[in-house]
Amino acid sequence: MLIDLIDTVKSKVHTLLNVYDTWGQQHARYYIISHAGRTVEDRNGTVGLHTDLGEWQRWSLVAAGTHPGRWFIVSHRGQNLEDRNGALGLHGDRGLYQTWSIINAGESQYAIISHRGQKLEDRDGKLGLVSDSGAW
């Protein structure tokens, strides 16, 4: 999936909001918006897609220090997006399953790739993981 990482300044909805994670690192919060305009969200522990741009759709990026070049994608509830053997979900751990690469795909779009090389995708409104490089 090619996505737009839109920080809160560019969203035209909110002013810049800086937060601190549990490790004391300061970072900005982002919306992760799919090619179809749907936003990745943490809705009470369920990861999915929605058209809102609210608190449940905000994510922080935290450098995964023990995994150079990789990131933890942290929800508003402090849960980390994960690829656990092909199952997309949220977890409080900060290990390999919760690390992601964010690759610039050009034109302000980025691919988000799990530790297993799977790309985050929006396929007709369903959030998932895929190994191909299509427009999803």
Side-chain angles (χ1 to χ4, degrees), residues 16-130:
L16 182 62
L17 176 62
N18 286 317
V19 297
Y20 292 84
D21 69 13
T22 57
W23 297 22
Q25 297 173 313
Q26 186 177 11
H27 51 278
R29 303 197 47 207
Y30 299 89
Y31 295 115
I32 303 173
I33 301 176
S34 76
H35 69 285
R38 290 178 281 264
T39 310
V40 178
E41 71 172 6
D42 171 355
R43 186 169 294 264
N44 297 321
T46 301
V47 65
L49 293 165
H50 206 280
T51 56
D52 286 348
L53 290 174
E55 184 65 20
W56 289 358
Q57 293 80 32
R58 289 187 185 150
W59 298 85
S60 300
L61 300 176
V62 177
T66 57
H67 304 281
R70 304 193 64 76
W71 299 89
F72 297 117
I73 301 174
V74 185
S75 78
H76 67 99
R77 296 181 322 104
Q79 296 294 295
N80 301 293
L81 188 64
E82 73 171 9
D83 171 358
R84 188 170 295 266
N85 301 318
L88 189 62
L90 296 163
H91 203 283
D93 286 352
R94 284 199 173 169
L96 181 63
Y97 289 170
Q98 295 80 33
T99 61
W100 300 85
S101 295
I102 301 175
I103 308 299
N104 188 332
E107 299 182 24
S108 298
Q109 293 188 337
Y110 298 84
I112 298 178
I113 304 170
S114 79
H115 70 284
R116 297 182 321 108
Q118 301 293 297
K119 294 174 184 73
L120 198 60
E121 74 163 349
D122 171 351
R123 185 156 309 233
D124 298 322
K126 182 169 175 45
L127 188 63
L129 296 165
V130 66

